[in-house]
Amino acid sequence: MTDRKKRLTITEYIRSILSILVFFLMLLLATPVILFLLIISFGKMSNFVVEQIAPFIVKPAFWVAGIDFQIKMHCDEIHYPAVYIINHSSTLDILTILALGLPKVRFVAKWQLQYNPIFFLLGRLTGQVFIRREKSDKAVQTLKRNVDRIKEKGLTVMLAPEGSRKHPGIIGPFKKGPFRMAMDLNYPIVPIYFEGNRELSEGGFLFTHTGKATAHIHEPISTNDWSLNNIDEKIERVRNLYLKWAGVTEEENSVLKKHSLK
């Protein structure tokens, strides 16, 4: 499997810049509406904001960038509440996550996103979870503090087991946090595999190629028989599914990992 970067064309640069402007313009225009809905409902319309307004904000940006985003179901229905996990290797993941419009979902995002005042305001008001990924102990404590709130409200939570988009190999090592959270909540794990995101957007900013991105939503994985004794084995099995979906063998992933660490 090759991991070669392809240069953006001039047209793709222009479309990307316009797409970024459209996204932030839509976000700016939608913010007063969202705040009004949250205030008059005393925060009870948070789910509506995440499920309906977030995809509405993102879709025009996809159209301008020339990205055909699709959702492909590999299960009979959307399962919730659950812990959704995603592969994270592109800045484009932010938009595809919002475009999913999953029911009663809350996102676990990096702390630095709060430096944007709009993300900070909307994130806090809609109950998103911000963690310091570089400090694993504090990240785990933040997740544990939110378990009761999530359980009480029957919310779904979405996390990236790789932690950051900057990781060795196509699919990076999986951290235990998302899986421990699923065990604490007694929720199943629902794997979502983003196909095409990595190839469309390879840098740290939202400059993208035109093309197709697909979110594959797979069957839920029960955590009823998970324990601290077998969690490492269970996590590795889930990660192997992502390697399979990405078309990466264990040998190829090991080579990419060694190369990236040089």
Side-chain angles (χ1 to χ4, degrees), residues 94-127:
I94 296 173
L95 300 189
T96 53
I97 286 170
L98 293 175
L100 287 171
L102 294 169
K104 302 185 75 173
V105 71
R106 296 296 182 271
F107 309 113
V108 177
K110 63 180 180 181
W111 186 267
Q112 289 83 348
L113 279 179
Q114 296 181 104
Y115 297 157
N116 181 305
I118 296 179
F119 286 159
F120 172 81
L121 186 61
L122 296 182
R124 289 294 180 178
L125 288 176
T126 55

Side-chain angles (χ1 to χ4, degrees), residues 12-30 56-65 95 116 118-119 205-208:
E12 287 173 332
Y13 269 116
I14 294 171
R15 294 187 73 155
S16 294
I17 292 170
L18 292 175
S19 175
I20 294 166
L21 292 174
V22 166
F23 171 68
F24 281 103
L25 178 60
M26 290 291 293
L27 186 62
L28 195 62
L29 292 174
F56 176 77
I57 291 171
V58 172
K59 286 177 182 177
F62 282 156
W63 182 80
V64 172
L95 300 189
N116 181 305
I118 296 179
F119 286 159
F205 205 52
L206 282 172
F207 288 107
T208 67

Side-chain angles (χ1 to χ4, degrees), residues 4-250:
R4 211 155 76 190
K5 292 186 178 181
K6 185 175 66 173
R7 288 187 178 182
L8 293 167
T9 65
I10 297 298
T11 301
E12 287 173 332
Y13 269 116
I14 294 171
R15 294 187 73 155
S16 294
I17 292 170
L18 292 175
S19 175
I20 294 166
L21 292 174
V22 166
F23 171 68
F24 281 103
L25 178 60
M26 290 291 293
L27 186 62
L28 195 62
L29 292 174
T31 297
V33 177
I34 294 172
L35 293 178
F36 175 74
L37 292 175
L38 292 175
I39 291 170
I40 65 170
S41 68
F42 297 99
K44 292 181 180 179
M45 294 194 73
S46 296
N47 293 329
F48 176 80
V49 170
V50 175
E51 295 168 29
Q52 303 296 328
I53 297 182
F56 176 77
I57 291 171
V58 172
K59 286 177 182 177
F62 282 156
W63 182 80
V64 172
I67 295 174
D68 176 18
F69 177 70
Q70 299 180 9
I71 299 173
K72 186 172 182 180
M73 299 289 296
H74 298 269
C75 50
D76 294 333
E77 58 184 359
I78 297 290
H79 188 96
Y80 67 95
V83 170
Y84 288 94
I85 59 171
I86 63 161
N87 55 311
H88 188 21
S89 58
S90 169
T91 307
L92 185 60
D93 297 344
I94 296 173
L95 300 189
T96 53
I97 286 170
L98 293 175
L100 287 171
L102 294 169
K104 302 185 75 173
V105 71
R106 296 296 182 271
F107 309 113
V108 177
K110 63 180 180 181
W111 186 267
Q112 289 83 348
L113 279 179
Q114 296 181 104
Y115 297 157
N116 181 305
I118 296 179
F119 286 159
F120 172 81
L121 186 61
L122 296 182
R124 289 294 180 178
L125 288 176
T126 55
Q128 310 308 320
V129 181
F130 296 95
I131 61 172
R132 297 184 183 275
R133 290 173 177 168
E134 69 279 6
K135 298 180 180 179
S136 58
D137 290 342
K138 287 189 175 182
V140 170
Q141 289 173 11
T142 302
L143 292 177
K144 285 183 176 179
R145 283 198 303 269
N146 282 274
V147 164
D148 290 340
R149 175 177 68 91
I150 291 165
K151 185 81 170 179
E152 179 185 348
K153 296 184 177 181
L155 300 174
T156 283
V157 63
M158 178 179 285
L159 309 90
E162 295 156 299
S164 168
R165 67 176 178 81
K166 296 179 180 179
H167 52 69
I170 304 299
I171 302 295
F174 278 10
K175 300 180 184 297
K176 291 183 181 179
F179 304 96
R180 287 293 302 270
M181 193 175 201
M183 291 168 62
D184 291 341
L185 289 165
N186 196 27
Y187 280 2
I189 294 164
V190 177
I192 297 178
Y193 174 67
F194 286 133
E195 178 186 12
N197 287 19
R198 181 186 180 92
E199 291 77 16
L200 291 180
S201 178
E202 299 158 341
F205 205 52
L206 282 172
F207 288 107
T208 67
H209 298 286
T210 59
K212 183 178 178 180
T214 305
H216 296 270
I217 302 179
H218 291 273
E219 291 277 0
I221 300 170
S222 174
T223 58
N224 289 340
D225 63 342
W226 288 43
S227 68
L228 294 180
N229 293 327
N230 64 19
I231 188 172
D232 291 330
E233 177 189 347
K234 298 286 188 180
I235 291 173
E236 193 60 26
R237 287 184 184 179
V238 176
R239 183 173 179 271
N240 285 338
L241 291 174
Y242 278 87
L243 289 170
K244 176 184 174 182
W245 297 329
V248 181
T249 65
E250 284 285 2

